[in-house]
Amino acid sequence: MSDHVYKHIELTGSSKTSIEDAVQTAISKAALTLHRLQWFQVLETRGHIADSKVVHWQVTIKVGFTLDS
């Protein structure tokens, strides 16, 4: 097994639908320019309330990926 080097970045995804959709939005966007995405960790979840209802989600995640050899 070879040694690997990993990098991680923080991203914030948003969605009007759900927390999961906000995470997927961030990962999908990152995958357009990064590759070898390996894991994510939810760091923070926020939301916007209007008329006593949740109308928007924001989720900050840490995404890890393997650097090219």
Side-chain angles (χ1 to χ4, degrees), residues 13-25 45-48 53-59:
S14 61
S15 171
K16 292 180 180 179
T17 308
S18 67
I19 293 169
E20 290 85 358
D21 192 52
V23 170
Q24 188 61 57
T25 298
T45 304
R46 294 179 301 280
H48 177 78
K53 295 182 182 180
V54 175
V55 294
H56 203 142
W57 295 96
Q58 283 189 332
V59 180

Side-chain angles (χ1 to χ4, degrees), residues 1-68:
M1 176 177 202
S2 21
D3 295 328
H4 298 285
V5 175
Y6 300 92
K7 179 165 181 66
H8 55 88
I9 59 172
E10 284 188 21
L11 304 168
T12 300
S14 61
S15 171
K16 292 180 180 179
T17 308
S18 67
I19 293 169
E20 290 85 358
D21 192 52
V23 170
Q24 188 61 57
T25 298
I27 291 172
S28 295
K29 187 70 169 186
L32 295 175
T33 57
L34 300 171
H35 56 281
R36 297 187 179 185
L37 300 177
Q38 300 291 325
W39 54 267
F40 75 93
Q41 174 185 1
V42 175
L43 301 177
E44 184 176 26
T45 304
R46 294 179 301 280
H48 177 78
I49 300 169
D51 298 323
S52 301
K53 295 182 182 180
V54 175
V55 294
H56 203 142
W57 295 96
Q58 283 189 332
V59 180
T60 300
I61 61 173
K62 185 184 293 186
V63 178
F65 56 95
T66 308
L67 295 177
D68 292 337

